[in-house]
């Protein structure tokens, strides 16, 4: 089916603070473990350049870990600290900017091995400082902004979730008190980069160990959760859901990005199986492919202003030209996400 009439909604410019995008398509962060000993090489730079030169409006890099002993348990996940790794990221930025693209790093800490209750307050301060240092480096390297990974049961999200945060000090307690660590990280990053450098914050209700989990069970609770993050300095929310078309709460068709924009007034990024049919896990565990889904619903929501940007993950992972093909109406040329296609990771 040709979508060249209405699909133009995805190709309107977007501007916020110093971030000027040619279109609304965002490459979602996807861990690949292609950075030996934490150092991104030219393969990584070329990987991102291919998506930029094929029309992606904004690239969010794979998760890059901060300078803390617990930040990663995977040797080939890229670092965002140390001269060699940072030089690698400088080359990534140069390659993407060289073809007119925009790129921000996702700053990450994979989380506590047990629960966040094990961390002393002095250790928490060290982690906050490490996040801020990474933010400073992102600006120094010429990135177009930064994203904090506060989703999917990683460190920041572990502080959010009552099941992984048993603390009784100022970092624990009710839902608002459990935002304290994130607030301190955001505030420290904002101080490090200044007021105009775009700060994106990714969060999710679902957890890796519980897809049905909800930090906020009602719009009112979601507002209580979001307000401290807004006050701390978040510019854009990246609202991670497994399926973008599913409503977040009963009695409203709005998804998580829609509710977040309504409650905060901040721009939002929607994400969740964009460009895919079927379950991601089934494509890997059962050998089933995930074909390219219709985008009518996505475009309608975007045109209504439910959210501002659309993050595409697995579809862009296997098809660097996905955005250009969508723009040109060449949907019959899209490469479906399958286990075989995943092996190429080109």
């Amino acid at each position: 089916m040709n979508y060249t009439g209405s699909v133009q909604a995805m190709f309107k410019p977007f501007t916020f603070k110093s971030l000027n995008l040619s279109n609304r398509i965002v490459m979602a962060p996807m861990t690949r473990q292609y950075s030996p000993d934490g150092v991104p090489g030219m393969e990584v730079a070329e990987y991102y350049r291919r998506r930029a030169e094929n029309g992606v409006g904004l690239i969010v890099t794979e998760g890059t870990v901060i300078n803390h002993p617990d930040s990663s348990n995977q040797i080939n996940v890229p670092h965002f600290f140390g001269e060699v790794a940072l030089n690698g990221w400088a080359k990534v930025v140069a390659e993407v900017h060289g073809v007119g693209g925009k790129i921000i790093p996702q700053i990450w800490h994979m989380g506590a091995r047990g629960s966040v209750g094990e961390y002393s307050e002095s250790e928490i301060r060290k982690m906050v400082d490490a996040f801020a240092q990474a933010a400073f480096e992102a600006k120094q390297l010429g990135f177009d902004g930064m994203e904090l990974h506060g989703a999917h049961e990683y460190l920041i999200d572990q502080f959010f979730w009552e099941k992984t945060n048993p603390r009784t000090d100022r970092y624990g307690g009710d839902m608002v008190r459990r935002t304290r660590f994130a607030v301190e990280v955001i505030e420290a990053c904002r101080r490090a980069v200044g007021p105009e450098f775009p700060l994106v914050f990714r969060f999710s209700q679902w957890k890796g160990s519980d897809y049905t989990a909800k930090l906020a069970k009602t719009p009112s609770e979601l507002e209580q959760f979001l307000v401290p993050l807004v006050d701390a300095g978040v510019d854009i929310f990246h609202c991670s859901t497994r399926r973008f078309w599913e409503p977040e709460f009963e009695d409203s068709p709005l998804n998580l990005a829609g509710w977040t924009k309504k409650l905060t007034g901040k721009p939002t990024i929607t994400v969740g199986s964009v460009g895919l049919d079927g379950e991601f896990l089934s494509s890997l565990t059962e050998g089933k492919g995930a074909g390219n889904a219709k985008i009518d619903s996505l475009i309608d929501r975007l045109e209504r202003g439910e959210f501002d940007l659309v993050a595409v993950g697995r579809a862009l992972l296997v098809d660097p030209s996905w955005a250009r093909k969508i723009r040109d109406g060449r949907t019959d040329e899209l490469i479906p996400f399958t286990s075989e296609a995943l092996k190429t990771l080109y």
Side-chain angles (χ1 to χ4, degrees):
M1 183 177 292
N2 191 311
Y3 294 99
T4 53
S6 60
V7 78
Q8 295 310 314
M10 298 178 69
F11 293 89
K12 293 179 180 178
F14 173 82
T15 297
F16 188 84
K17 289 190 174 180
S18 62
L19 188 64
N20 298 296
L21 307 181
S22 61
N23 63 57
R24 305 303 179 100
I25 297 175
V26 176
M27 181 177 182
M30 291 170 288
T31 299
R32 300 192 309 141
Q33 300 190 55
Y34 274 31
S35 298
D37 296 321
V39 178
M42 281 308 299
E43 188 280 338
V44 175
E46 291 165 0
Y47 166 78
Y48 288 120
R49 187 200 67 230
R50 282 193 290 271
R51 276 74 186 170
E53 67 188 2
N54 277 288
V56 172
L58 174 66
I59 291 170
V60 184
T61 73
E62 61 213 280
T64 69
V65 296
I66 63 171
N67 188 11
H68 184 263
D70 288 345
S71 66
S72 175
N73 57 16
Q74 297 170 347
I75 191 171
N76 296 325
V77 163
H79 296 170
F80 211 77
F81 62 90
E83 182 178 358
V84 179
L86 293 175
N87 285 342
W89 284 117
K91 293 174 183 175
V92 172
V93 172
E95 288 291 315
V96 170
H97 284 175
V99 295
K102 304 287 185 178
I103 184 168
I104 66 176
Q106 185 185 71
I107 307 302
W108 189 26
H109 186 302
M110 292 186 182
R113 292 184 176 89
S115 76
V116 296
E118 67 192 51
Y119 290 127
S120 67
E121 291 202 18
S122 62
E123 194 67 22
I124 288 174
R125 285 193 293 273
K126 291 178 183 177
M127 292 187 288
V128 170
D129 289 344
F131 274 107
Q133 182 63 35
F136 173 81
E137 300 291 1
K139 186 175 182 181
Q140 292 296 111
L141 290 172
F143 279 95
D144 300 291
M146 60 168 290
E147 174 171 289
L148 288 170
H149 196 344
H152 308 164
E153 214 173 335
Y154 294 117
L155 181 69
I156 295 175
D157 194 32
Q158 287 179 339
F159 276 89
F160 287 150
W161 198 24
E162 60 184 354
K163 290 188 178 181
T164 49
N165 183 354
R167 303 181 72 98
T168 57
D169 60 5
R170 64 197 184 101
Y171 295 102
D174 63 24
M175 183 173 62
V176 174
R177 290 177 64 88
R178 294 196 303 273
T179 67
R180 183 70 241 164
F181 175 69
V183 164
E184 292 186 2
V185 169
I186 295 163
E187 290 175 340
C189 290
R190 177 57 71 203
R191 288 192 296 270
V193 299
E196 292 301 313
F197 194 70
L199 196 162
V200 182
F201 190 87
R202 196 179 212 211
F203 78 100
S204 66
Q205 297 259 49
W206 66 272
K207 314 300 167 198
S209 61
D210 185 356
Y211 289 142
T212 65
K214 283 189 181 292
L215 292 171
K217 298 178 177 61
T218 66
S220 177
E221 288 185 356
L222 182 61
E223 184 173 24
Q224 293 174 48
F225 169 77
L226 293 170
V227 165
L229 308 182
V230 172
D231 292 344
V234 171
D235 291 314
I236 300 171
F237 284 99
H238 190 172
C239 309
S240 181
T241 55
R242 298 183 68 218
R243 305 175 185 90
F244 76 87
W245 58 87
E246 292 184 344
E248 190 60 33
F249 304 113
E250 294 182 0
D251 302 322
S252 169
L254 294 178
N255 68 8
L256 184 61
W259 270 111
T260 299
K261 182 176 181 180
K262 180 177 180 177
L263 294 170
T264 67
K266 294 291 186 179
T268 59
I269 306 171
T270 196
V271 67
S273 300
V274 176
L276 299 175
D277 284 323
E279 292 283 352
F280 171 47
L281 289 178
S282 70
S283 72
L284 299 179
T285 61
E286 301 172 25
K288 297 178 181 178
N292 295 287
K294 293 181 179 180
I295 59 173
D296 304 51
S297 171
L298 183 72
I299 292 169
D300 288 344
R301 290 168 180 255
L302 185 61
E303 288 181 327
R304 291 197 303 268
E306 182 175 334
F307 38 74
D308 302 274
L309 299 163
V310 177
V312 182
R314 298 182 294 276
L316 267 172
L317 187 65
V318 298
D319 192 345
S321 303
W322 188 90
R324 190 177 299 278
K325 291 174 182 177
I326 291 290
R327 185 197 65 189
D328 296 342
R330 296 184 287 129
T331 53
D332 58 329
E333 299 178 23
L334 293 170
I335 300 172
F337 179 88
T338 64
S339 296
E340 285 303 309
L342 184 62
K343 293 176 182 177
T344 64
L345 288 180
Y346 66 99

